[in-house]
Amino acid sequence: MQQPPTSHARLQAWVDEVAALTTPDRIVWCDGSESEWTGITDALVDSGALVRLDPAKKPNSFWARTDPGDVARVEERTFICSVDEADAGPTNNWMAPAEMKATMTELYRGCMRGRTMYVVPFCMGPLDAPQPMFGVELTDSPYVVASMRIMTRMGAEVLSALESSGADFVPALHSVGAPLEPGQQDVPWPCNETKYISHFPETREIWSFGSGYGGNSLLGKKCYALRIASVAARDEGWLAEHMLIMKLTSPEGRVRYIAGAFPSACGKTNLAMLEPTLPGWKVETVGDDIAWMRFGEDGRLWATNPEFGLFGVAPGTDFHTNPNAMRTLAQGNSIFTNVALTDDGDIWWEGMGSPPAHLTDWKNQDWTPSSDAPSSHPNSRFCTPIEQCPILAEEYHDPRGVPIDAILFGGRRKTTIPLVTEARDWVHGVYLGATLSSETTAAAVGQVGVVRRDPMAMLPFIGYHAGDYFQHWIDMAKGASGDAAKLPKVFYVNWFRRGEDGRFLWPGFGENSRVLKWIAERLDGRGEAVETAIGHVPTPDALDTTGLDISEADLAAALKVDRDEWLAEIPQVTEWFTKFGDKLPTVLWAELDALRARLTEAA
Ligand SMILES: Nc1nc2c(ncn2[C@@H]2O[C@H](COP(=O)(O)OP(=O)(O)OP(=O)(O)O)[C@@H](O)[C@H]2O)c(=O)[nH]1
Ligand SMILES: O=C([O-])CC(=O)C(=O)O
Ligand SMILES: [Mn+2]
C-alpha cells in the first residue's frame, strides 16, 4: 500500500476532509523546491496568468494582473467568528462560527473542481525557533503558492519539522471560488464576486474564499500573523503587531532597535529600508510589516519578524525614495502585481522617474503619458524575498529577535499631528496608539483619503475586542518585571502634514533619518524638546537640518502644536472611546481628561 503523504494524522485527516468537500482534480504537496517554483511559474506563464519579465532586467520575475475587482483587502468581507459576539468587539464584522462554517461549506462544495489543490506547509518565523509557528494553507491558486514561497518559509523542511515535532498548526483554507467545468477555458485571474475572509479565533482556523489578492489569500500574513496571532498573544502575554522593525546605528556605533506601527500604505516598508541622508547613520532592516514581540528574561520587549518576504506598495518606490527596495527587486525572483509592463519586458509604476512613451497598464491596455488613469493600480505590489535586501540586519535570522528601544506610531494626516512627539510615559503612549488616526489608502477596498481611527495601525487586524486589546497593551507594563525603564519609549510621527497649498511640509523618506536621530538622542537622555500639552516636541533647533532644503516656516509648521486643531480632536476621541463601553480601560479616559485639561490650561 502507498504511504500517505504525511505521518501527521491531523493534517492528513484535514486534507482528506477538504478534498472531499472541494473535489479538486488533483492534490499536490508542495516541497518548496526550485523545480516546483519553475514548474508552477512556467505553467502560469503558459496559461497567460503571468508574463515573464526580461531576465536581463529582472531575472526569474513575473508580471501579474488581477481581476479589476480583486485589487485590495476587503475589510467589509473580513470576519472574526468568535463564539461570543462580544469577543469580536465593535471594530470587527462578526458571524457565529457555526453559521459562517455552514455558509462557507456550501461555497466550498465542489469549488476546486477542474483545479489542483496545493498543500502548503509553512512556518512563520525561523524554523529553529524554540516553538516554531506552523501553518498549512490549502489553496487552489498556483499564484498563491508561488507568493507563499516568497513570503514564508515553506515546503518539505517545514512538513518534516511539523511531523517530527507532532506540533499543532493553523489550518488555513483558501479557494478562489471559481470551479472549472470540463473543457472550460480558465481566465488569467479566477476569483468570485462573493468573498469571505473568516477567522475562528477559538479554534485558530482561517477560511478564505473568493479573492486571490495577497492580503486576502496569503494566509500566513494578515490572517495568521496578525489576526489569529493577536489572539494567541493576548492569551499568552505577548504582542502581534502591524509594525516594521529596524536597527539604527549612530556614527558613534550606538545601536538602537525601533519598531513602528503605521497603517497600510503609510510608510512602514519605506522607513524599514531607509537610506539616511545624515552622514554616518546606518539603518538595517529586520522587518517591514509584522512584529511579534515577547518579553525576554532581561525584562525587555524583543521583536521578531515572522515573514520571509516583502509584499510592498509599488507606486512611489524608486531610487530617490527607497533605493534599497529597488536594489532588492533588481535581484529578481519577484512577482509584481497590477503594475505596468514596459515594451522591453520590465516593470514601471507611478513615481519611478519619467514615464516611458508606451506601457501596458495594469488592465492590459495601451498606456501613454497622456492617458488619464495611472498605469499601475495605487495598491499594486511587489512580492520579493527579504534575504535579497542589501541592508538586511543579521539579527533578522535570530529567533530571539531584537530588544526594542522605541515604538513609533504614525499615520497619514494632512493637519494637526506634528512631525514627531514623544509620549509622556507608557500609558500616554498607549493612548497615542489607541487614538491613532490616518487617512484611508488604496490598501483596502473603499473610499481613499478619509480620516479614521486606526488604533496601533491594527484596526483591520485585531482578532478580538479592541477594548481588551488596549487593556492588553496597558498590562504589558507589568510584564517588564515591573521596571518601566525597560519598556520601549513611545513616539508619534507624521511624515504627511501639508501646507495650505497642499504640499508635504516635510520631505520624508531618507530625510526621516533626522527624526530618527532626535529619537535616538531622546533615548540617550539628550535632545531638546518642549513639553507641550500633547507630549514632548522637538524645538526647531533640536532637529539636525544640516544640508536640508526646508524653510524655517515649513519646519515650524511641521512641528506646530495647534491648540484649536487638538481641541477639535477631543469630541472625536470621546466618540471613539465611547464605542468600547466599559471595555475601554479607565486609564485611557483619564488620559483624555488630562489632555483636555492641559490644552485648556495652555489657553
Ligand atoms: N510623502 C511621503 N510619502 C511616503 C513616505 N514614506 C512612504 N511614503 C509613501 O507611502 C506609500 C506607502 O508606503 P509603504 O512604506 O509601502 O507603506 P507600508 O506601511 O509598508 O504599507 P503596507 O504594506 O500596506 O502595510 C508609498 O507610496 C510611499 O512612497 C514619506 O516619508 N513621505
Ligand atoms: O495585506 C496586504 O494586502 C498588504 C498590507 O501589508 C496591508 O494592507 O497592510
Ligand atoms: Mn501591512
Side-chain angles (χ1 to χ4, degrees):
M1 208 183 92
Q2 216 188 329
Q3 286 279 104
T6 178
S7 60
H8 197 293
R10 182 181 168 217
L11 174 56
Q12 186 63 56
W14 177 59
V15 170
D16 291 344
E17 182 196 330
V18 172
L21 174 65
T22 60
T23 63
D25 280 7
R26 65 196 82 74
I27 301 175
V28 169
W29 289 71
C30 295
D31 61 12
S33 64
E34 197 71 41
S35 60
E36 179 178 271
W37 161 272
T38 307
I40 285 178
T41 51
D42 281 353
L44 284 166
V45 169
D46 289 345
S47 75
L50 291 182
V51 170
R52 185 182 296 279
L53 299 177
D54 179 351
K57 300 194 172 74
K58 296 279 183 306
N60 191 28
S61 295
F62 303 90
W63 180 57
R65 286 170 293 106
T66 72
D67 181 285
D70 195 23
V71 294
R73 285 183 295 100
V74 282
E75 296 181 359
E76 284 304 309
R77 307 300 305 159
T78 300
F79 293 82
I80 300 298
C81 304
S82 45
V83 171
D84 185 351
E85 179 172 8
D87 288 337
T91 59
N92 286 308
N93 300 311
W94 176 85
M95 201 191 282
E99 191 190 340
M100 180 61 85
K101 286 196 169 173
T103 303
M104 290 189 74
T105 295
E106 288 322 304
L107 292 169
Y108 282 135
R109 198 177 299 287
C111 73
M112 296 191 186
R113 210 160 54 239
R115 299 193 182 276
T116 301
M117 181 171 90
Y118 299 90
V119 183
V120 183
F122 64 91
C123 184
M124 299 312 289
L127 207 46
D128 60 356
Q131 280 184 315
M133 301 289 272
F134 293 110
V136 179
E137 179 160 351
L138 304 184
T139 179
D140 53 10
S141 163
Y143 166 90
V144 165
V145 176
S147 304
M148 282 293 283
R149 184 171 183 266
I150 296 172
M151 294 306 297
T152 69
R153 291 138 175 112
M154 70 86 124
E157 245 191 296
V158 175
L159 181 60
S160 63
L162 182 56
E163 285 170 342
S164 60
S165 66
D168 224 341
F169 63 93
V170 170
L173 172 55
H174 172 254
S175 173
V176 293
L180 286 171
E181 304 313 326
Q184 187 185 339
Q185 177 69 36
D186 201 1
V187 293
W189 187 272
C191 60
N192 194 308
E193 262 180 59
T194 301
K195 295 175 173 55
Y196 282 96
I197 319 297
S198 304
H199 307 74
F200 303 93
E202 282 91 0
T203 50
R204 312 265 153 99
E205 296 170 279
I206 302 159
W207 288 21
S208 169
F209 180 90
S211 170
Y213 168 74
N216 304 322
S217 69
L218 311 181
L219 303 184
K221 193 174 178 59
K222 304 297 178 174
C223 299
Y224 181 153
L226 290 178
R227 298 196 191 94
I228 295 292
S230 66
V231 174
R234 172 200 61 190
D235 295 347
E236 297 161 12
W238 52 284
L239 292 167
E241 297 297 327
H242 192 202
M243 287 183 181
L244 70 97
I245 310 167
M246 70 146 75
K247 176 181 183 180
L248 175 69
T249 308
S250 75
E252 300 76 40
R254 177 77 163 104
V255 172
R256 296 294 192 176
Y257 297 101
I258 298 177
F262 314 153
S264 302
C266 292
K268 291 181 300 300
T269 302
N270 279 268
L271 194 69
M273 303 178 91
L274 174 143
E275 189 159 84
T277 50
L278 280 181
W281 287 81
K282 187 160 126 189
V283 165
E284 290 162 274
T285 311
V286 180
D288 84 315
D289 197 52
I290 297 176
W292 284 353
M293 305 198 286
R294 299 166 200 270
F295 281 108
E297 277 164 20
D298 59 359
R300 300 189 65 193
L301 199 52
W302 289 67
T304 59
N305 170 14
E307 299 196 277
F308 201 47
L310 309 167
F311 185 63
V313 176
T317 308
D318 84 341
F319 275 100
H320 298 287
T321 56
N322 191 348
N324 288 313
M326 298 302 280
R327 291 171 193 134
T328 305
L329 299 175
Q331 294 182 56
N333 311 308
S334 305
I335 299 173
F336 298 88
T337 301
N338 287 342
V339 304
L341 179 70
T342 66
D343 294 350
D344 60 355
D346 204 348
I347 38 81
W348 193 86
W349 49 68
E350 277 64 31
M352 198 198 282
S354 51
H358 178 264
L359 292 165
T360 308
D361 73 9
W362 72 278
K363 291 181 169 171
N364 211 22
Q365 305 286 314
D366 286 319
W367 187 94
T368 67
S370 62
S371 297
D372 292 333
S375 69
S376 303
H377 189 276
N379 190 42
S380 53
R381 299 258 167 183
F382 53 77
C383 181
T384 193
I386 198 169
E387 286 182 298
Q388 290 181 189
C389 174
I391 57 160
L392 187 68
E394 59 183 358
E395 293 89 330
Y396 165 79
H397 301 280
D398 188 339
R400 286 175 312 169
V402 295
I404 297 299
D405 295 292
I407 291 175
L408 316 188
F409 291 120
R412 200 179 262 275
R413 286 291 305 268
K414 291 189 176 70
T415 67
T416 319
I417 315 293
L419 181 62
V420 57
T421 309
E422 182 187 342
R424 300 157 63 89
D425 53 31
W426 180 255
V427 176
H428 182 231
V430 175
Y431 172 87
L432 295 181
T435 58
L436 182 68
S437 56
S438 191
E439 291 144 23
T440 50
T441 67
V445 171
Q447 230 186 321
V448 170
V450 186
V451 176
R452 69 172 185 183
R453 300 288 144 187
D454 191 341
M456 284 80 174
M458 283 284 283
L459 179 70
F461 308 121
I462 303 169
Y464 58 101
H465 196 298
D468 290 335
Y469 171 79
F470 299 153
Q471 187 63 54
H472 183 57
W473 262 86
I474 288 163
D475 290 345
M476 291 306 279
K478 295 177 199 145
S481 43
D483 185 353
K486 290 188 171 169
L487 284 168
K489 296 261 185 298
V490 178
F491 297 81
Y492 196 165
V493 300
N494 179 21
W495 318 135
F496 300 94
R497 203 169 187 181
R498 297 188 193 234
E500 262 152 32
D501 51 2
R503 250 170 342 106
F504 289 117
L505 291 166
W506 178 253
F509 302 105
E511 305 294 5
N512 293 335
S513 57
R514 300 170 189 276
V515 176
L516 295 176
K517 178 181 176 183
W518 182 78
I519 289 171
E521 287 170 353
R522 293 295 292 174
L523 294 172
D524 291 342
R526 298 181 290 125
E528 290 286 320
V530 268
E531 189 179 341
T532 75
I534 64 161
H536 303 273
V537 176
T539 58
D541 297 342
L543 281 183
D544 185 345
T545 52
T546 321
L548 179 67
D549 185 19
I550 190 170
S551 71
E552 263 178 50
D554 278 3
L555 183 59
L559 291 171
K560 185 170 186 213
V561 180
D562 185 302
R563 191 176 148 269
D564 290 338
E565 285 181 335
W566 278 94
L567 282 171
E569 292 271 310
I570 300 271
Q572 295 168 26
V573 173
T574 306
E575 193 185 327
W576 168 242
F577 278 0
T578 304
K579 262 178 177 289
F580 305 101
D582 57 12
K583 288 270 198 187
L584 192 93
T586 48
V587 289
L588 293 183
W589 279 122
E591 282 294 331
L592 176 61
D593 289 342
L595 172 64
R596 188 193 293 107
R598 290 193 302 266
L599 285 166
T600 330
E601 262 166 41

